[in-house]
Amino acid sequence: MQFQNEIVYNSNNATLINKLSNNFIFIQLCLLVLTAIVIDYAALVVLEFILVLILALNKLGNGIILRELISFHATLVLLFVPLMGYKFYTINNPLSKVWVKYMPIDEVSYFQFVLPAIIIFNLLLCWPISSKQCQDEGIFFQLRLKKSLEILNSSKINPKLFIILGTLMYFLQSYLPVDFQYIGYLFFTSSFVGFLMLYLNSLEKYRLIFITYFILFLIYVSILSSMFTIVVYMGMTISSFIFIGSKISFWRKILMIIMVSSFLFTLQNLKIVLRSSSSSNINGLTSALYLNQMFTQGSGREINFFESNYFFTSYVRSNQGFLVAKVIKYFPVAKEFDNGAYLGQAIFSSLIPRVFWPDKPKAGGRFTFEYFTGDKLVGNTSMNVSPLGEAYGSFGPGLGILYMALLALFIRGVYLWFISLTYTIPFLIFWFPVVFYQLTYSMETDSLQIFNSLFKSGTFVFILYVMSPSLFGIKRKSFLSLNN
């Protein structure tokens, strides 16, 4: 890799990023003021979406875009996609009407709470970092990554072992006792650490063979299992490292985003078709749409994944705002705000292992969904109202926005603290994807999963560090370090 031989640093590009960061604060504040003045929120939603996208693309190649990915995802699923619901998939749309997937409250009622909440969340989370000790972009960060790679090249760590053990654990984790399955899952995620080390270290033997094997493995499990989420969001986080030091024009980045989005959209719909066609008990929205396609066009014709039926399926899956709107409709008409009682219990439970609290709240959405919407999920269906929905149901609009601000500051604080640790523990930089990837899609989950994932993955990494410091670039004898 070119990055391993020299630090690629473009001062003009850095100046552009710094200017964009400063303008980002100013524009965010202007948009926030406008949310209290205007009634038609469409233009503000589109501007926020474009602004966050530009912020992420400008940083790509110069640093880690994890904070920006969290903000982009929140803006996409809570602002941009719901706007499509209000403009296109209304009650007048046949599919929306049949499946009752039109937005359950009016546009003004939705955006007057959600838009300022997301703007403040993005503003605080992506606020430029002033401390050199916590930089996640630019020359200081690139030098730190280069130093970590130099230590990796001279160490006895074998990244291929991470990949082998991680992929093996993917198949074995379901056979572990229930209380230990998440530990098995964390060992599986460590395979991404091995992939990142292997990709960045061009001196490794059989590097291309293992990289190809791992990519094919991910494609396989993403199509035939429920691992599509981890592949997409872990991949986004890892891509930050892959492109660091690369000189890529802004428009080439746009083209890359279009190509990757098209590939993921096709892969997602291919997964739906494969699951639906092979199931002996086909049910649900996606399967019904698939059958409709088959009966109306004939099974012998080529299926076009970009036709309205299939795009509607993707719209439904990515419209987290639909669930937030159900919360807004439910509170306080049918249920009074609980002033954070449910949230407090969820946050507290994330710090206590289940062995000491057997009936503590579970992450995953079924209980949270029923509590905040009043609707029960049937079968194995699981969905969540997002931290934003929890914020509204707990505190109402005003304090709900404050909760989102505090949540952004919390995520930012943990993120900066983790970066600062890489000064003394170099290889922590490779564990970023494992510790933080679940936060990239946190607006589809709930607060419990945010705190739970940070606590458990952080504890997992800490235990590995205590057992084997050399895995983190600390020169001490380790039984897990192997010769290549």
Side-chain angles (χ1 to χ4, degrees), residues 141-330:
F141 176 77
Q142 292 185 33
L143 286 171
R144 194 180 317 171
L145 181 57
K146 183 182 180 182
K147 180 181 178 181
S148 297
L149 288 173
E150 291 172 351
I151 298 173
L152 177 63
N153 289 335
S154 61
S155 72
K156 297 181 179 181
I157 293 176
N158 187 351
K160 299 185 288 291
L161 181 63
F162 282 94
I163 294 178
I164 294 172
L165 292 179
T167 54
L168 181 63
M169 187 56 69
Y170 168 78
F171 296 103
L172 296 179
Q173 60 181 318
S174 60
Y175 297 100
L176 296 174
V178 176
D179 292 338
F180 294 93
Q181 286 184 1
Y182 193 80
I183 297 176
Y185 172 77
L186 289 173
F187 271 105
F188 159 66
T189 61
S190 66
S191 62
F192 289 90
V193 178
F195 171 79
L196 187 58
M197 288 180 173
L198 196 62
Y199 185 90
L200 295 177
N201 186 7
S202 59
L203 301 179
E204 280 283 344
K205 294 180 180 179
Y206 310 112
R207 173 173 171 267
L208 292 180
I209 294 176
F210 275 84
I211 288 176
T212 303
Y213 156 73
F214 190 64
I215 292 175
L216 292 176
F217 165 79
L218 292 180
I219 293 175
Y220 169 78
V221 298
S222 65
I223 293 177
L224 299 180
S225 72
S226 59
M227 300 303 295
F228 184 79
T229 298
I230 185 175
V231 171
V232 172
Y233 294 108
M234 188 78 83
M236 288 180 179
T237 308
I238 288 178
S239 67
S240 300
F241 292 89
I242 291 176
F243 288 104
I244 286 177
S246 302
K247 294 181 178 179
I248 308 175
S249 69
F250 180 81
W251 296 110
R252 286 182 64 188
K253 293 177 184 179
I254 291 288
L255 181 60
M256 287 170 50
I257 292 295
I258 295 174
M259 293 175 62
V260 171
S261 299
S262 299
F263 171 76
L264 293 177
F265 180 78
T266 303
L267 187 63
Q268 172 72 356
N269 283 284
L270 177 61
K271 181 184 73 172
I272 293 171
V273 170
L274 289 176
R275 283 184 177 181
S276 301
S277 60
S278 62
S279 174
S280 59
N281 183 25
I282 300 176
N283 54 63
L285 171 61
T286 56
S287 299
L289 292 177
Y290 168 78
L291 289 176
N292 176 68
Q293 183 84 357
M294 295 295 290
F295 281 121
T296 56
Q297 294 189 359
S299 58
R301 292 185 58 181
E302 180 180 355
I303 296 174
N304 183 359
F305 290 136
F306 294 92
E307 289 187 356
S308 60
N309 281 3
Y310 286 98
F311 189 74
F312 175 74
T313 303
S314 298
Y315 156 76
V316 171
R317 285 174 173 266
S318 58
N319 187 8
Q320 190 65 32
F322 175 79
L323 303 180
V324 174
K326 290 177 71 70
V327 177
I328 297 175
K329 184 179 181 180
Y330 188 59

Side-chain angles (χ1 to χ4, degrees), residues 112-114 116-117 331-332 337 391-403:
Q112 69 182 3
F113 165 68
V114 175
F331 287 87
F337 303 122
Y392 186 91
S394 298
F395 307 109
L399 292 178
I401 292 175
L402 177 61
Y403 175 80

Side-chain angles (χ1 to χ4, degrees), residues 69-125:
L69 281 176
I70 297 173
S71 290
F72 177 75
H73 178 265
T75 306
L76 176 66
V77 302
L78 290 170
L79 291 180
F80 190 78
V81 176
L83 181 64
M84 293 174 58
Y86 284 113
K87 300 303 180 183
F88 302 107
Y89 291 105
T90 65
I91 192 173
N92 296 320
N93 179 277
L95 287 173
S96 299
K97 187 174 183 179
V98 168
W99 296 103
V100 196
K101 293 300 180 181
Y102 49 86
M103 296 296 287
I105 61 175
D106 65 90
E107 184 176 349
V108 174
S109 298
Y110 179 80
F111 284 118
Q112 69 182 3
F113 165 68
V114 175
L115 184 55
I118 295 302
I119 289 176
I120 291 177
F121 179 84
N122 292 344
L123 173 64
L124 296 178
L125 183 61

